[in-house]
């Protein structure tokens, strides 16, 4: 009742209560930020079972920033029980429109704390601060606002079924929330991945628990604090940093979790889908790996193609699921394209992600950087031409990997087929008079997340969009995503959409009601 009264007064569900927690003081970016380091279960910050912790490392200087509680299987169970109780209790008392108000309040708080959130993201994940502010945090806020608007617009249909005369019949559908949803997310855009999934999940009326990536859970914990300030009832949102192999697995296995929203690698996605089936046939959506082709025709605007070609690979240090994993450049402009890319790379500022002039920060964690080095060694061993980078930035502390360019990459090479998830440009040539052949090569991948084409010929561009097997197609642009546009892959890049109206369906079930009169 208090919750509803507060909502009517516009002060948030719990009246904007402060929450207590153990945390650490992050002094960075001329800010002094208190960051929670405990699990967030049932509206409270609590220690993990047996006080288990994870070390959180700053990728810029390799120091341990803090210890964060590491959820066990039992901790996951506690969060699921809390979410279950809230789903059938307090959350049911909140109307669709009030839900929207809570989400808007949360978005306003995220906006108010955006510099803090971007600073935390930058220190925790290595994201360049300016990008963290605009994309990691900015797009998170957009997602909460966008989905808040959907809350009171989720509706079913009336359906003209055949009546058994002389009786009449009314058949209608209701869109209902699924129940407790588990969300498991990767480390490349920690708060944004949380927001893309959780905003749709909450807008649809579900309760949830999230297991963020173990390497960078800090913005998720700060977000949990803001959810209390916004007034979300206890149990609706639960945040459990922990390891995928136990806490993540426990979410996938739990019999009271009815839906799992996952973003991560294809092998783990396959494994999780089996767990969802074996446990309780929970619904799942999987946003997985990619090796997105970008085809650049000689008739393109070359300045634009170089600019977007660079960002298609190097945006967020390549830790971008829709990154162009392979560039096909028409032979007539190939050498000029490579020359311009190298010129731009030589002037790219690499350094502290908090520095406003930095364009390229450290990779997210050491194991990832080591994998990138191996990936490049494999490319060289297979005969691809390494024209730039391929190694750790010399004489620099932190997980800095030099932006890299390979040319003369053949279709059968490992680096032509497998995702690097790092700042590595893989270039192959094609003959512009044989469009069929480049389309076949672009589609010769088990992934189908995104794709792009640069050409001034509208017929060529539309034909590419028709024929490419990918969930996202960019024409004369790249990385242009928006919270209102559905996002998700084909083939082994998974299924189910984040963002846009379609994302709501991932977190809803349809009930069909038939009445005879
Ligand atoms: P994964 O290793 O698959 O990890 C993703 C998440 O799953 C992490 O939270 C991880 O926990 C957890 N996890 C690991 N094993 C699990 C298990 N058995 N049960 C439940 N959860 C488990 O991926 P990653 O290396 O973090 O992220 C990189 C991959 O994500 C790339 O392939 C990239 O393309 C993909 N990605 C895709 C998209 C979209 S939208 N398609 C977006 C971003 C990233 P830990 O933190 O303990 O490992």
């Amino acid at each position: 009742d208090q919750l509803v009264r507060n909502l009517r007064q516009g002060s948030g569900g719990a009246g904007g209560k402060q929450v207590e927690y153990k945390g650490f003081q992050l002094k960075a970016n001329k800010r002094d930020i208190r960051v929670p380091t405990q699990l967030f279960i049932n509206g409270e910050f609590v220690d993990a079972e047996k006080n288990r912790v994870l070390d959180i490392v700053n990728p810029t200087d390799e120091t341990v920033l803090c210890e964060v509680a590491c959820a066990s299987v039992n901790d996951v169970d506690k969060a699921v029980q809390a979410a279950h109780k809230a789903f059938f209790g307090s959350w049911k008392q909140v109307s669709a429109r009030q839900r929207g108000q809570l989400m808007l309040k949360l978005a306003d708080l995220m906006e108010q704390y955006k510099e803090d959130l971007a600073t935390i993201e930058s220190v925790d994940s290595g994201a360049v601060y300016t990008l963290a502010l605009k994309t990691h945090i900015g797009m998170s806020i957009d997602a909460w606002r966008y989905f808040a608007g959907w809350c009171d617009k989720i509706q079913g249909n009336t359906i003209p079924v055949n009546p058994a005369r002389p009786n009449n019949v009314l058949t209608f559908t209701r869109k209902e929330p699924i129940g407790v949803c588990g969300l498991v997310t990767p480390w490349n855009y920690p708060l944004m991945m949380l927001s893309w999934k959780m905003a749709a999940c909450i807008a649809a009326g579900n309760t949830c628990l999230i297991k963020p990536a173990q390497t960078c859970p800090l913005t998720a914990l700060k977000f949990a604090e803001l959810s209390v300030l916004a007034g979300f009832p206890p149990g609706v949102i639960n945040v459990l940093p922990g390891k995928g192999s136990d806490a993540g697995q426990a979410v996938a296995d739990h019999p009271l979790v009815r839906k799992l929203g996952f973003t991560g690698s294809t092998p783990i996605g396959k494994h999780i889908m089996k767990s969802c089936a074996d446990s309780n046939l929970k619904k799942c959506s999987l946003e997985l790996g990619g090796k997105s082709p970008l085809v650049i025709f000689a008739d393109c605007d070359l300045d634009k193609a170089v600019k977007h070609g660079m960002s298609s690979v190097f945006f967020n240090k390549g830790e971008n699921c829709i990154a162009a994993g392979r560039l096909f450049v028409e032979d007539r402009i190939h050498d000029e394209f490579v020359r311009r890319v190298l010129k731009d790379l030589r002037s790219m500022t690499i350094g502290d992600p908090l520095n406003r002039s930095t364009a390229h920060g450290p990779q997210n964690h050491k194991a990832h950087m080591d994998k990138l080095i191996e990936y490049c060694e494999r490319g060289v061993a297979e005969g691809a031409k390494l024209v730039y980078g391929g190694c750790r930035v010399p004489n620099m502390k932190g997980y800095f990997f030099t932006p890299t360019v390979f040319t003369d990459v053949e279709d059968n090479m490992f680096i032509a087929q497998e995702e690097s998830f790092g700042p590595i440009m893989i270039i192959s040539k094609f003959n512009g008079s044989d469009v069929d052949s480049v389309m076949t090569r672009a589609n010769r991948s088990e992934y189908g997340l995104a794709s792009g084409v640069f050409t001034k010929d509208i017929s060529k561009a539309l034909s590419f969009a028709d024929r490419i097997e990918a969930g996202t197609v960019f024409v004369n642009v790249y990385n242009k995503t928006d919270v209102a546009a559905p996002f998700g892959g084909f083939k082994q890049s998974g299924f189910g959409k984040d963002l846009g109206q379609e994302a709501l369906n991932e977190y809803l079930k349809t009930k069909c009601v038939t009445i005879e009169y």
Side-chain angles (χ1 to χ4, degrees):
D1 287 353
Q2 183 59 41
L3 170 77
V4 173
R5 262 200 307 281
N6 286 334
L7 277 166
R8 286 207 186 108
Q9 288 159 9
S11 63
K17 238 178 26 195
Q18 295 288 336
V19 61
E20 291 187 0
Y21 55 80
K22 290 183 202 158
F24 88 109
Q25 215 63 36
L26 174 64
K27 290 183 201 301
N29 202 21
K30 297 189 189 132
R31 309 186 79 81
D32 195 353
I33 308 164
R34 182 103 185 120
V35 187
T37 52
Q38 291 174 290
L39 309 180
F40 182 69
I41 299 177
N42 203 24
E44 289 178 357
F45 283 96
V46 293
D47 288 328
E49 187 183 41
K50 297 190 183 143
N51 291 316
R52 287 194 333 163
V53 288
L54 294 164
D55 277 347
I56 304 301
V57 175
N58 179 345
T60 303
D61 61 11
E62 305 178 39
T63 59
V64 174
L65 272 170
C66 63
E67 285 179 342
V68 158
C70 176
S72 69
V73 173
N74 285 334
D75 292 321
V76 167
D77 181 57
K78 280 183 204 154
V80 174
Q81 299 297 344
H84 186 72
K85 189 163 168 241
F87 182 73
F88 290 102
S90 58
W91 200 223
K92 279 255 181 289
Q93 306 305 314
V94 179
S95 72
R97 197 157 299 155
Q98 288 167 336
R99 213 159 64 224
Q101 283 170 22
L102 277 173
M103 293 176 68
L104 288 174
K105 180 114 194 265
L106 178 57
D108 287 349
L109 283 161
M110 291 167 76
E111 178 102 50
Q112 189 183 327
Y113 285 88
K114 70 179 177 207
E115 281 93 1
D116 283 359
L117 290 166
T119 303
I120 301 170
E121 205 73 297
S122 194
V123 171
D124 196 9
S125 80
V128 166
Y129 177 74
T130 45
L131 183 71
L133 203 54
K134 180 165 176 268
T135 301
H136 295 63
I137 312 306
M139 205 172 177
S140 299
I141 298 168
D142 284 351
W144 284 96
R145 293 207 169 119
Y146 171 77
F147 283 109
W150 272 113
C151 290
D152 60 359
K153 298 168 195 72
I154 296 171
Q155 52 200 30
N157 295 311
T158 52
I159 300 169
V161 301
N162 243 13
R165 294 287 183 215
N167 293 332
N168 291 311
V169 74
L170 169 66
T171 291
F172 65 89
T173 55
R174 289 163 52 91
K175 294 281 184 187
E176 297 188 348
I178 296 174
V180 178
C181 299
L183 311 174
V184 177
T185 48
W187 39 260
N188 56 338
Y189 295 103
L191 187 65
M192 195 174 92
M193 290 293 107
L194 173 153
S195 300
W196 282 21
K197 296 202 179 305
M198 201 188 286
C201 169
I202 294 290
N206 301 283
T207 59
C208 69
L209 64 155
I210 182 163
K211 193 216 78 69
Q214 62 169 295
T215 56
C216 34
L218 297 182
T219 42
L221 291 170
K222 191 71 189 167
F223 165 89
E225 180 189 348
L226 299 184
S227 77
V228 179
L229 293 180
F232 276 86
V236 174
I237 292 171
N238 301 276
V239 180
L240 289 97
K243 296 188 177 175
S245 50
D246 49 14
Q249 186 64 48
V251 178
D253 287 340
H254 205 291
L256 286 180
V257 174
R258 296 292 171 192
K259 153 86 204 205
L260 188 87
F262 175 78
T263 294
S265 62
T266 297
I268 301 286
K270 287 182 182 182
H271 171 81
I272 277 187
M273 192 169 163
K274 284 189 202 138
S275 304
C276 288
D278 288 343
S279 53
N280 60 345
L281 207 64
K282 57 177 71 65
K283 182 175 172 174
C284 66
S285 46
L286 304 171
E287 299 282 0
L288 309 177
K291 185 73 180 166
S292 304
L294 171 57
V295 177
I296 301 176
F297 285 98
D299 62 1
C300 68
D301 172 340
L302 192 56
D303 289 341
K304 209 173 169 196
V306 170
K307 179 172 164 246
H308 288 268
M310 293 279 293
S311 88
S312 78
V313 175
F314 301 116
F315 191 79
N316 200 38
K317 357 140 204 168
E319 294 168 355
N320 185 16
C321 51
I322 54 170
R326 199 155 174 213
L327 273 64
F328 295 94
V329 182
E330 189 170 335
D331 45 13
R332 284 193 288 145
I333 55 162
H334 174 275
D335 293 353
E336 177 61 9
F337 179 86
V338 173
R339 193 187 64 75
R340 292 203 198 183
V341 164
L342 293 181
K343 181 169 171 273
D344 285 0
L345 271 186
R346 285 191 190 102
S347 61
M348 189 184 262
T349 335
I350 302 175
D352 183 349
L354 287 171
N355 191 326
R356 302 301 186 271
S357 62
T358 296
H360 182 83
Q363 302 307 138
N364 184 278
H365 53 278
K366 181 160 189 308
H368 178 51
M369 185 193 63
D370 291 344
K371 258 172 80 181
L372 295 179
I373 294 168
E374 259 174 53
Y375 185 95
C376 290
E377 285 168 357
R378 195 149 171 190
V380 171
E382 283 185 326
K385 192 167 158 194
L386 177 66
V387 292
Y388 197 84
C391 58
R392 207 171 167 164
V393 176
N395 307 320
M396 213 163 151
K397 217 175 165 44
Y399 308 135
F400 290 94
F401 182 79
T402 317
T404 296
V405 179
F406 277 101
T407 59
D408 300 337
V409 178
E410 302 295 335
D411 295 358
N412 59 348
M413 291 177 183
F414 176 80
I415 63 169
Q417 294 170 9
E418 290 305 324
E419 180 184 38
S420 75
F421 213 50
I424 303 176
M425 188 179 273
I426 309 282
I427 305 178
S428 304
K429 276 186 202 168
F430 74 95
N431 178 341
S433 60
D434 189 0
V435 175
D436 282 350
S437 150
V438 75
M439 286 309 306
T440 306
R441 294 170 75 193
N443 279 328
R444 199 184 293 142
S445 167
E446 272 302 303
Y447 295 115
L449 191 54
S451 61
V453 61
F454 278 79
T455 172
K456 284 187 188 151
D457 180 338
I458 185 71
S459 304
K460 247 188 224 172
L462 287 176
S463 160
F464 177 89
D466 286 347
R467 295 169 71 182
I468 197 74
E469 296 163 11
T472 292
V473 186
F474 295 117
V475 177
N476 294 333
V477 70
Y478 208 88
N479 285 328
K480 179 77 192 103
T481 52
D482 188 278
V483 292
F487 180 100
F490 293 173
K491 301 197 278 190
Q492 293 199 38
S493 290
F495 52 82
K497 297 287 181 193
D498 279 331
L499 305 183
Q501 185 178 3
E502 283 200 38
L504 287 170
N505 290 328
E506 306 296 334
Y507 295 94
L508 288 167
K509 56 189 191 305
T510 304
K511 182 180 277 175
C512 182
V513 181
T514 296
I515 307 160
E516 194 171 71
Y517 61 100

